[in-house]
Amino acid sequence: MEKDHVDDLLRRAEGVRTGQPEEGEEAESTLASRARYWALFEQFCGDYGGRGDDGTRLRGLTALPAEPGTLTEFVGYLAHRGYAPATIRLALSAVRARHRLAGETVPDGVQAAAAIRGYQEELLASGWQPKASAPARTRELERLVEACDPATAQGLRDRALVLVGYSVAATRAALARLNIDDVRKVDDRRYEIVVSRGENKAPRHVVVPHWGTPRGGRCRDPLCPLCAVFAWTALLRSGGVDHGPLFRPVDKGGNIAGIRPVAGGHDERISVTAVNLILRRLRRRADLPENITPHSLRAGFAMESIEQGAHERDVRRHGGWVANSTAFNVYTRDLLTAEERSSRTVTRPNPLQRIAERRRALPGERTG
């Protein structure tokens, strides 16, 4: 990014701050949703309870603090009433959020999560289809990026978020947890992005190549995730920010959290809710279907990598999908036969390299 362009953005950020940060749009509905699910959990604990080790029905289970087994019983309660797996996960998230708010120890959800997976497997076997996000391939990425205004701080951040989200097959939470120091140079053509997988899990180390052919030492592809990140971090560094959260709130006045106060006093790290709002806003600007969501980036990466000939095992490793991942199998079940899954040869360690090569092979000059 040119210095005068950075200075111009910073001058604009000095202007009068108006409006609310992006998180504000959905703050009330999020709180209402959490309150609704918490009330349902309290009702369950008080009226239904679970069963003891001897099979005896228990009543009046403690909602706060809750035991891990109570969460598992709650999953069964919701499943019996026909709630979708995604809704059950939201309900458990509300219960965990209520514990954090109260300063209580958050109950272990490993058993409950396994129960949800089992429930989802049963539904899939019966022919049920989840309301899935549509995969965002290169053509959708192009339209999302075109909806970002690189002359604004918000546009620079949004472009980097979309392209990084796709290139590392990130979840919303992983995008929110990224730090500036998580982008590390390997060589002139490649960088490593360290993707957090949450507490007690080793992070993923994803190598991301430049997508375009450098001219004069500069990549010219507008979909290059590295170039998008460099433009955004150049703005952050020009404001004195060298460390800490990579993706930060930007209010309607152009103020960036950590450089100048953001209206509403939000944290310097972007929220998971804000990732949803950013993709929703870009999707509307780009006139894309409503089923283009943050998860579309992750699904699109998996499907496009397979379509470009990457080995399934490498795609799983790159995106952090375990061998029995239901989600990954849903993405790719119509793309590979059983024979292709077993016979496809491993030709590159990084499936993203295939997509980058395809971009460079396409005709026409790209100018970023």
Side-chain angles (χ1 to χ4, degrees):
M1 178 183 293
E2 301 296 334
K3 184 179 185 302
D4 57 349
H5 183 50
V6 171
D7 291 341
D8 177 58
L9 285 179
L10 290 176
R11 281 196 298 272
R12 293 162 96 179
E14 280 283 11
V16 178
R17 294 191 294 274
T18 60
Q20 296 296 317
E22 290 153 341
E23 291 89 338
E25 180 183 332
E26 206 172 55
E28 290 186 8
S29 62
T30 300
L31 292 174
S33 174
R34 286 179 176 175
R36 189 164 59 249
Y37 289 129
W38 174 251
L40 184 61
F41 181 67
E42 284 189 309
Q43 177 187 338
F44 159 75
C45 289
D47 296 345
Y48 293 90
R51 293 186 181 276
D53 294 336
D54 59 355
T56 304
R57 179 169 291 282
L58 304 175
R59 290 185 178 274
L61 294 178
T62 302
L64 189 72
E67 294 293 328
T70 304
L71 294 188
T72 307
E73 289 285 348
F74 187 47
V75 170
Y77 168 80
L78 296 179
H80 181 69
R81 282 154 182 76
Y83 284 79
T87 304
I88 298 176
R89 290 189 179 95
L90 286 176
L92 292 185
S93 176
V95 172
R96 290 192 292 267
R98 183 67 182 86
H99 278 71
R100 285 191 291 268
L101 184 65
E104 297 284 354
T105 300
V106 178
D108 188 335
V110 173
Q111 240 183 354
I116 295 174
R117 287 195 298 272
Y119 172 51
Q120 182 167 304
E121 291 288 355
E122 290 179 5
L123 289 177
L124 289 171
S126 68
W128 170 82
Q129 291 292 329
K131 294 181 179 178
S133 299
R137 293 178 172 85
T138 301
R139 57 182 177 269
E140 284 80 27
L141 285 180
E142 288 174 336
R143 292 174 64 177
L144 290 171
V145 168
E146 287 171 359
C148 302
D149 182 1
T152 67
Q154 184 186 77
L156 287 175
R157 181 205 60 188
D158 294 352
R159 182 177 64 178
L161 184 142
V162 167
L163 294 177
V164 169
Y166 175 86
S167 66
V168 302
T171 63
R172 295 168 299 166
L175 281 172
R177 288 193 292 260
L178 281 174
N179 292 318
I180 296 172
D181 293 337
D182 289 333
V183 182
R184 305 170 182 176
K185 185 173 182 178
V186 176
D187 53 43
D188 290 339
R189 295 287 303 163
R190 300 175 302 158
Y191 275 68
E192 178 185 75
I193 298 180
V194 182
V195 184
S196 169
R197 299 174 61 203
E199 294 181 8
N200 303 320
K201 291 184 179 180
R204 290 189 286 126
H205 294 256
V206 182
V207 176
V208 177
H210 277 291
W211 278 34
T213 303
R215 297 197 176 189
R218 184 177 179 185
C219 173
R220 296 284 182 175
D221 195 318
L223 293 193
C224 178
L226 295 180
C227 295
V229 168
F230 298 156
W232 169 240
T233 54
L235 178 60
L236 294 180
R237 289 191 170 97
S238 67
V241 175
D242 294 309
H243 304 285
L246 176 60
F247 297 119
R248 298 161 176 259
V250 180
D251 68 14
K252 293 182 180 179
N255 300 287
I256 304 171
I259 294 179
R260 292 183 181 82
V262 169
H266 284 259
D267 294 336
E268 291 184 0
R269 186 176 300 281
I270 202 172
S271 70
V272 173
T273 299
V275 177
N276 282 334
L277 296 174
I278 290 167
L279 262 292
R280 181 189 303 172
R281 170 164 41 78
L282 294 178
R283 181 252 301 164
R284 288 172 177 169
R285 287 182 187 172
D287 195 26
L288 289 169
E290 290 188 1
N291 57 358
I292 293 295
T293 69
H295 197 75
S296 297
L297 303 175
R298 186 164 164 82
F301 171 83
M303 296 184 74
E304 194 163 26
S305 296
I306 294 294
E307 288 171 340
Q308 295 305 316
H311 194 281
E312 178 186 353
R313 186 178 64 209
D314 289 336
V315 179
R316 287 181 182 277
R317 184 184 299 117
H318 184 101
W321 287 284
V322 296
N324 61 346
S325 169
T326 300
F328 185 87
N329 292 336
V330 169
Y331 302 152
T332 61
R333 65 186 173 193
D334 296 327
L335 300 177
L336 290 176
T337 66
E339 183 180 355
E340 286 174 327
R341 289 181 188 276
S342 61
S343 64
R344 181 168 285 187
T345 58
V346 181
T347 56
R348 288 197 178 274
N350 185 345
L352 190 63
Q353 192 72 38
R354 283 189 171 273
I355 301 173
E357 289 180 348
R358 176 175 176 269
R359 291 286 297 169
R360 290 196 290 271
L362 291 176
E365 175 70 15
R366 294 184 181 81
T367 56

